[in-house]
């Protein structure tokens, strides 16, 4: 898989190929001082072009080395701890003598396109490859022409890039948003969730119709929500729209509000249970649990419980209690259940 | 579409040379009511020249801005790179007199001579609207009859004597086509555009960038498609400031997350290898807006009084001016430094000096080679001896600009004339460049 994408991106140098293979292996389970880290690494032949393309306002060079696995490991060791919080990325600039490495700032605006979206959006240009861990021993590679997931476990995986499962979910979650932001908000939400879930341990997300009752699946016996139902839904779409407008007028302060809100979403997703959205782009609840007949206890294997909950959510979608259901497992595998013109994907 | 003057000025003088007295000139002021004509003539005959000239200027500018509104206020906003001017905006309220005159000139509403007289009139009215400074003798500040008459004639010629616009203009029609039709690369319109004047090419690009930011639906699709057709056809003709405009548009769209628009502009920039002109952040926006405010106050009433605050705000942004903002910043700070034929704002000089002291030789070279020949506002100042002399003494000599080695023939000629203080040569060079910059041959 790795060779396929490198070939598609025109990487013919054997040394580079070996270095990138080392990078992929390192990223699949990268730890420093025992802590798991999730650095996003951008490999490029032209740092200046990449900075302008991604709208990265600053780069800091930290070292260089020849085209070898040692350089890659050294680069990660020096740069990965600086990227906690995901406001900085690692860069590796390939040159005739080897690799120069350092860190790149992420775009200032929280509504800006993500690096993976931007890189995959152009079909030609200098080499630009993005690598990031998306699950247990799973690394996503994004190039100008292809994006793919490389699994380093023995398990047979067939699914594509994680974002491909998020996109239908987010289309449903933005279905009733204002027309002028609908498509962009859908893409934005998918990117945000993709970024957050990369660092998580798995997740369940459901979408319901606005102002609808809590689905029976998520209720206790007494009819109350089995988890946290927000008294007032958080209108992410509205804050996104306001931020976009403010950015266009040169008032970037609104971006702080959105960035702050996204941190909250990350916290909600790190909690067990289901994150509940509605189709106007609002968060309605989190830490919600599926009320399944013969439901499991805490002693059950987490993965199994998540899968069973997802199956129950699919039934809720079929019954019309929910509009869409999504699951991401700890190994990065993901699945989505969305009605499509009377059929199911 | 053909490369014609967007406004067929006709070029016949509304006010014949034989009209010499206020009453004779007033007869041609179609847009003044009979009562207003009588009042103006009376003011002149009573020697109230400042009052009369001030009234005429105000009415003249209102009438001129109304005529520009026929093109569409949003189109005017696009030409001036002012997103705050929308389709329902009143230009009388939102357009400065300076911008109105400059725009009308670039659109060919006046001949170069008429334009020169109007600019003179603007300076006269502006100067005499300033409160007297300490030590200023009231007698010496009296507007002279011939100065007032010059203002009268210029205003009537430029706007008060013109009839109301009744026909659609080719330029506004072309603008509409950019968002209502999909052009093809081999389209004769695109080919003609590639061979058009610099002003026309520049304005087309400005319009396309504005449409990329503001259009919606099908009109947006056409505009984005036309960007990918037109930009490659004209990229080699664009000056650096216009290329930076395209790059800045990409950065602004990226920051606001408008994905479809970003994607189209990115494709176009890749086709022309234009990413060198994409700034890495939007710091330049703050500089451009502050520079714009300096220009606005410099060309408005009470400019000597208002310039200090505006230029200090620009200086407070820092002395390292981002390249995308350099053209506008240089125009603003040189305007303050050179002043006008009546003098300079003394209180504004320390901040102007701070900014100019931070301009490196590379940046001076960039400005002289890439920007000065199209900087109409600065070029126009060289018609008068005082700003021209200040350029030599307070700019070229003070900041050692003579040590810059321009690559362009024009830049070398300008510096040579400046260093040797050849005033007439400087005036001739800059006047010729001025007329070329506004599209006159």
């Amino acid at each position: 898989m790795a060779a396929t994408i490198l070939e598609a991106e025109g990487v013919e140098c054997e040394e580079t190929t070996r270095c990138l293979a080392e990078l992929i292996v390192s990223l699949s389970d990268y730890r420093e001082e025992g802590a798991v880290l999730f650095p996003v690494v951008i490999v490029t032949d032209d740092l200046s072009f990449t900075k302008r393309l991604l709208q990265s306002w600053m780069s800091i060079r930290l070292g260089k080395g020849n085209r070898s696995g040692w350089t890659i490991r050294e680069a990660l060791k020096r740069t990965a701890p600086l990227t906690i919080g995901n406001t900085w990325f690692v860069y590796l600039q390939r040159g005739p003598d080897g690799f120069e490495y350092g860190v790149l700032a992420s775009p200032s605006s929280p509504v800006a396109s993500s690096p993976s979206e931007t890189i995959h959006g152009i079909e030609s240009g200098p080499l630009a490859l993005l690598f990031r861990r998306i699950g247990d021993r799973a690394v996503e590679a994004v190039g100008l022409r292809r994006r793919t997931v490389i699994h380093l476990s023995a398990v047979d995986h067939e699914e594509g890039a994680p974002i491909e499962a998020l996109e239908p979910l987010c289309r449903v979650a933005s279905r009733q948003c204002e027309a002028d932001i609908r498509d962009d908000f859908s893409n934005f939400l998918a990117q945000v969730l993709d970024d957050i879930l990369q660092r998580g341990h798995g997740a369940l997300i459901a979408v319901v119709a606005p102002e609808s009752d809590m689905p029976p699946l998520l209720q206790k016996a007494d009819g109350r929500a089995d988890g946290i139902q927000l008294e007032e839904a958080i209108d992410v779409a509205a804050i996104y729209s306001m931020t976009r407008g403010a950015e266009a007028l040169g008032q970037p302060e609104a971006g702080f509000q959105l960035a702050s809100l996204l941190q909250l979403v990350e916290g909600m997703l790190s909690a067990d249970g289901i994150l509940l959205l509605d189709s106007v782009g609002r968060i309605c609840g989190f830490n919600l649990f599926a009320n399944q007949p013969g439901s499991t206890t805490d002693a059950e294997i987490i993965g199994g419980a998540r899968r069973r909950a997802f199956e129950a959510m699919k039934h809720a979608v079929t019954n019309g209690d929910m509009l869409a259901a999504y699951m991401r497992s700890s190994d990065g595998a993901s699945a989505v259940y969305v009605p499509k013109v009377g059929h199911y994907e | 579409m053909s490369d014609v003057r967007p406004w067929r000025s006709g070029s016949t003088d509304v006010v014949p040379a034989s009209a010499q007295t206020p009453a004779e000139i007033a007869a041609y002021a179609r847009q003044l009511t009979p009562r207003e004509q009588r009042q103006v003539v009376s003011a002149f005959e009573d020697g109230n020249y400042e009052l009369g000239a001030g009234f005429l200027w105000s009415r003249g500018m209102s009438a001129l801005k109304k005529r520009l509104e026929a093109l569409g206020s949003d189109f005017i906003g696009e030409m001036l790179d002012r997103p705050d001017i929308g389709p329902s905006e009143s230009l009388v309220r939102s357009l400065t007199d300076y911008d109105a005159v400059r725009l009308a000139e670039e659109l060919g509403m006046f001949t170069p001579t008429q334009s020169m007289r109007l600019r003179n009139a603007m300076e006269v009215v502006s100067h005499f609207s300033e409160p007297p400074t300490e030590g200023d003798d009231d007698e010496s500040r009296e507007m002279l009859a011939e100065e007032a008459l010059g203002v009268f004639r210029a205003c009537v010629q430029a706007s008060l004597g013109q009839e109301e616009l009744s026909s659609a203009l080719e330029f506004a029609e072309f603008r509409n086509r950019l968002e209502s039709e999909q052009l093809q690369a081999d389209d004769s319109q695109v080919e003609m555009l590639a061979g058009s004047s610099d002003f026309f090419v520049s304005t087309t690009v400005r319009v396309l960038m504005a449409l990329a930011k503001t259009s919606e639906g099908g009109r947006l699709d056409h505009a984005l498609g036309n960007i990918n057709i037109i930009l490659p056809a004209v990229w080699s003709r664009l000056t650096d400031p216009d290329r930076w405009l395209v790059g800045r548009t990409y950065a602004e769209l990226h920051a606001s997350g408008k994905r479809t628009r970003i994607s189209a502009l990115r494709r176009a920039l890749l086709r022309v290898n234009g990413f060198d002109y994409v700034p890495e952040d939007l710091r330049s926006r703050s500089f451009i807006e502050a520079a714009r405010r300096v220009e606005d106050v410099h060309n408005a009433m009470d400019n000597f009084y208002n310039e200090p605050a505006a230029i200090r705000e620009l200086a407070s942004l820092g002395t390292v001016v981002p390249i995308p903002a350099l053209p506008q910043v240089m125009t603003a700070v040189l305007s303050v430094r050179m002043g006008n034929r009546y003098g300079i704002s003394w209180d504004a000089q320390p901040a102007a000096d701070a900014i100019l002291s931070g301009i490196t030789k590379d940046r001076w070279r960039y400005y002289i080679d890439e920007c000065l020949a199209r900087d109409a506002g600065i070029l126009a100042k060289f018609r008068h001896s005082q700003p021209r002399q200040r350029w030599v003494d307070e700019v070229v000599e003070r900041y050692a600009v003579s040590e810059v080695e321009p690559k362009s023939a024009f830049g070398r000629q300008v510096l040579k004339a400046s260093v040797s203080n050849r005033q007439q040569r400087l005036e001739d060079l800059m006047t010729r460049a001025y007329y070329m910059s506004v599209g006159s041959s």
Side-chain angles (χ1 to χ4, degrees):
Chain A
M1 279 292 241
T4 305
I5 188 171
L6 296 182
E7 190 182 342
E9 300 301 320
V11 176
E12 295 172 342
C13 166
E14 286 184 13
E15 283 178 330
T16 302
T17 302
R18 280 196 292 271
C19 287
L20 295 186
E22 174 76 37
L23 177 67
I24 291 167
V25 170
S26 297
L27 284 179
S28 67
D29 187 21
Y30 193 78
R31 294 165 191 268
E32 280 289 338
E33 307 289 333
V36 179
L37 298 181
F38 300 88
V40 174
V41 180
I42 296 171
V43 181
T44 178
D45 281 348
D46 186 339
L47 180 64
S48 175
F49 169 81
T50 302
K51 282 177 68 178
R52 293 168 199 270
L53 179 70
L54 303 181
Q55 287 293 284
S56 171
W57 58 274
M58 189 177 189
S59 63
I60 304 172
R61 182 168 175 251
L62 294 173
K64 63 178 182 177
N66 58 11
R67 291 189 194 186
S68 68
W70 186 91
T71 299
I72 300 300
R73 289 189 296 274
E74 183 75 2
L76 280 178
K77 190 165 182 59
R78 290 185 172 187
T79 58
L82 303 179
T83 65
I84 294 172
N86 259 27
T87 51
W88 292 83
F89 311 121
V90 176
Y91 80 81
L92 289 164
Q93 181 175 225
R94 188 174 66 158
D97 299 331
F99 287 102
E100 169 195 297
Y101 56 84
V103 289
L104 266 182
S106 61
S108 307
S109 167
V111 298
S113 302
S114 68
S116 57
E117 186 183 1
T118 302
I119 288 171
H120 195 52
I122 60 175
E123 290 153 6
S124 65
L127 175 71
L129 279 164
L130 182 148
F131 296 93
R132 63 182 189 137
R133 172 183 162 156
I134 52 101
D136 187 28
R137 301 191 65 72
V139 173
E140 184 182 28
V142 181
L144 305 185
R145 298 170 193 89
R146 290 191 63 160
R147 68 191 303 169
T148 190
V149 177
I150 302 155
H151 293 274
L152 282 83
S153 65
V155 179
D156 187 22
H157 295 273
E158 292 183 5
E159 69 274 3
I163 199 167
E164 290 173 9
L166 281 167
E167 283 166 349
L169 174 83
C170 294
R171 277 198 292 273
V172 176
S174 60
R175 180 186 296 169
Q176 290 173 268
C177 291
E178 294 295 326
D180 63 334
I181 68 160
R182 186 180 306 140
D183 289 344
D184 284 345
F185 176 67
S186 174
N187 289 330
F188 165 76
L189 190 60
Q191 293 289 337
V192 162
L193 292 175
D194 188 37
D195 179 55
I196 292 172
L197 293 174
Q198 169 209 3
R199 298 187 290 278
H201 51 66
L204 288 164
I205 305 174
V207 182
V208 294
E211 312 302 341
S212 61
D213 293 332
M214 181 63 62
L217 178 68
L218 303 180
Q219 292 178 15
K220 293 181 182 176
D222 59 5
R224 290 183 300 138
D226 190 357
I228 301 173
Q229 180 179 14
L230 298 176
E231 289 176 14
E232 193 173 327
I234 301 172
D235 198 337
V236 183
I239 297 173
Y240 166 82
S241 178
M242 181 190 70
T243 304
R244 261 198 358 171
E247 285 285 348
L249 291 173
Q251 297 163 1
E253 299 80 23
F256 296 130
Q257 295 181 4
L258 184 60
S260 176
L261 179 60
L262 298 181
Q263 283 192 329
L264 192 68
V265 172
E266 182 161 1
M268 290 176 176
L269 279 167
S270 70
D272 285 334
I274 300 165
L275 178 73
L276 190 65
L277 309 175
D278 69 15
S279 56
V280 289
R282 302 185 305 178
I283 303 171
C284 304
F286 69 103
N287 198 214
L288 292 158
F289 292 91
N291 175 18
Q292 305 163 64
S295 61
T296 60
T297 66
D298 288 341
E300 284 281 343
I301 298 170
I302 296 294
R306 188 177 291 123
R307 170 58 67 174
R308 280 195 291 278
F310 180 61
E311 292 301 320
M313 288 161 69
K314 283 164 67 175
H315 283 299
V317 173
T318 306
N319 293 340
D321 294 331
M322 291 180 176
L323 299 179
Y326 169 88
M327 182 198 82
R328 171 88 165 250
S329 60
S330 56
D331 65 357
S334 48
V336 65
Y337 201 69
V338 174
K340 181 182 176 188
V341 198
H343 303 281
Y344 291 92
E345 292 186 53
Chain B
M1 176 208 77
S2 60
D3 181 20
V4 296
R5 301 296 286 178
W7 203 299
R8 300 182 194 277
S9 68
S11 297
T12 53
D13 281 338
V14 170
V15 184
S18 58
Q20 294 286 327
T21 67
E24 288 168 350
I25 296 173
Y28 295 96
R30 294 189 184 91
Q31 294 205 30
L32 292 180
T33 65
R35 186 174 69 88
E36 287 171 334
Q37 290 179 10
R38 285 194 302 273
Q39 285 179 334
V40 167
V41 171
S42 177
F44 272 68
E45 288 173 350
D46 291 344
N48 294 324
Y49 299 126
E50 290 90 343
L51 284 176
F55 170 75
L56 283 166
W57 181 258
S58 176
R59 282 298 306 276
M61 284 299 103
S62 292
L64 179 62
K65 293 170 189 176
K66 279 286 184 193
R67 294 181 79 210
L68 288 171
E69 271 183 6
L71 285 171
S73 297
D74 48 346
F75 176 47
I76 299 299
E78 288 158 11
M79 291 188 68
L80 295 172
D81 194 17
R82 291 222 4 221
D84 56 306
I85 300 180
S88 56
E89 190 74 19
S90 162
L91 292 183
V92 174
R93 197 174 48 241
S94 56
L95 205 60
T96 64
D97 293 349
Y98 175 79
D99 277 342
V101 171
R102 180 168 68 93
L103 206 49
E105 185 177 20
E106 287 178 346
L107 288 171
M109 287 172 69
F110 325 126
T111 65
T113 303
Q114 290 165 356
S115 173
M116 182 266 297
R117 288 186 180 135
L118 199 60
R119 285 177 182 274
N120 281 341
M122 183 162 60
E123 285 190 7
V124 167
V125 171
S126 178
H127 174 72
F128 285 100
S129 70
E130 294 263 346
T133 57
E134 194 178 317
D136 220 356
D137 179 2
D138 189 44
E139 291 293 322
S140 70
R141 286 195 88 251
E142 245 181 68
M143 185 183 287
L144 300 176
E146 52 267 33
E147 287 171 332
L149 211 59
V151 172
F152 198 176
R153 180 186 293 275
C155 288
V156 173
Q157 179 63 51
S159 58
L160 295 176
Q162 300 287 342
E163 288 173 356
E164 292 297 328
L165 186 66
S166 61
S167 59
L169 303 170
E170 289 182 30
F171 212 48
E173 287 174 6
F174 174 58
R175 177 196 177 274
N176 285 334
R177 283 201 289 275
L178 287 176
E179 61 174 351
S180 60
E181 287 177 28
Q182 182 59 65
L183 305 176
Q184 302 299 322
D186 58 356
D187 200 304
S188 59
Q189 293 176 335
V190 177
E191 288 173 358
M192 274 193 281
L193 174 63
S196 288
S197 65
D198 290 348
F199 168 71
F200 201 55
V201 170
S202 173
T203 303
T204 301
V205 170
R206 285 176 182 277
V207 167
L208 284 170
M209 291 306 106
L211 292 176
K213 287 194 262 190
T214 59
S215 282
E216 298 285 346
R219 300 180 87 79
L220 173 64
D221 292 340
H222 287 310
L224 295 179
N226 287 331
I227 285 173
N228 272 278
I229 297 294
I230 289 174
L231 205 61
V234 303
W235 185 257
S236 60
R237 297 275 315 278
L238 293 183
T239 60
D240 271 16
D242 283 335
R243 292 179 178 186
W244 279 114
L245 172 68
V246 177
R248 218 170 66 234
T249 303
Y250 172 84
E252 290 171 9
L253 289 174
H254 190 282
S256 58
K258 296 186 177 175
R259 286 154 167 81
T260 305
R261 300 163 204 253
I262 296 165
S263 178
L265 198 50
R266 191 165 51 215
R267 258 198 319 278
L269 280 166
L270 283 169
R271 286 186 66 184
V272 301
N273 289 323
F275 263 90
D276 285 345
Y277 294 93
V278 173
E280 290 161 9
D281 59 42
L282 287 172
R283 271 181 69 235
S284 56
R285 192 157 54 179
S286 304
F287 282 85
I288 289 169
E289 285 167 4
R292 198 169 273 154
R293 281 192 288 278
V294 172
E295 267 193 275
D296 283 347
V297 303
H298 176 75
N299 293 300
M301 305 293 176
D302 294 335
N303 60 307
F304 292 163
Y305 178 75
N306 293 319
E307 279 178 20
I311 193 73
R312 279 186 213 126
E313 185 193 331
L314 177 58
S316 73
L317 295 177
T319 54
V320 181
V321 179
I323 281 282
L326 190 69
Q328 288 91 340
V329 169
M330 291 299 287
T331 301
V333 73
L334 287 175
S335 295
V336 169
R337 194 74 176 155
M338 294 168 69
N340 58 32
R341 61 177 159 166
Y342 297 107
I344 57 174
S345 171
W346 289 101
D347 288 344
Q349 296 309 305
D353 179 53
I355 296 171
L356 287 172
S357 297
I359 304 294
T360 62
K361 288 209 176 11
D362 277 345
R363 301 251 164 140
W364 274 113
R365 185 182 308 118
Y366 177 82
Y367 174 70
I368 291 171
D369 279 337
E370 301 291 340
C371 309
L372 179 58
R374 292 181 58 83
D375 193 342
I378 298 300
L379 294 172
K381 290 184 178 297
F382 283 83
R383 289 180 292 112
H384 302 292
S385 58
Q386 286 188 343
R388 199 166 60 228
Q389 193 62 55
R390 280 194 285 273
W391 161 264
V392 170
D393 298 333
E394 300 300 330
V395 177
V396 173
E397 187 174 323
R398 183 170 176 114
Y399 302 107
V401 182
S402 55
E403 295 172 16
V404 171
E405 293 172 356
K407 293 179 184 165
S408 66
F410 171 75
R412 288 195 298 271
Q413 289 164 0
V414 167
L415 278 196
K416 189 175 174 187
S418 303
V419 167
S420 52
N421 199 17
R422 291 175 59 194
Q423 291 284 312
Q424 189 58 53
R425 170 72 172 146
L426 256 182
E427 183 180 352
D428 292 342
L429 269 173
M430 298 312 215
T431 301
R432 197 167 350 143
Y434 170 80
Y435 287 132
M436 286 182 65
S437 77
V438 297
S440 307
S441 53

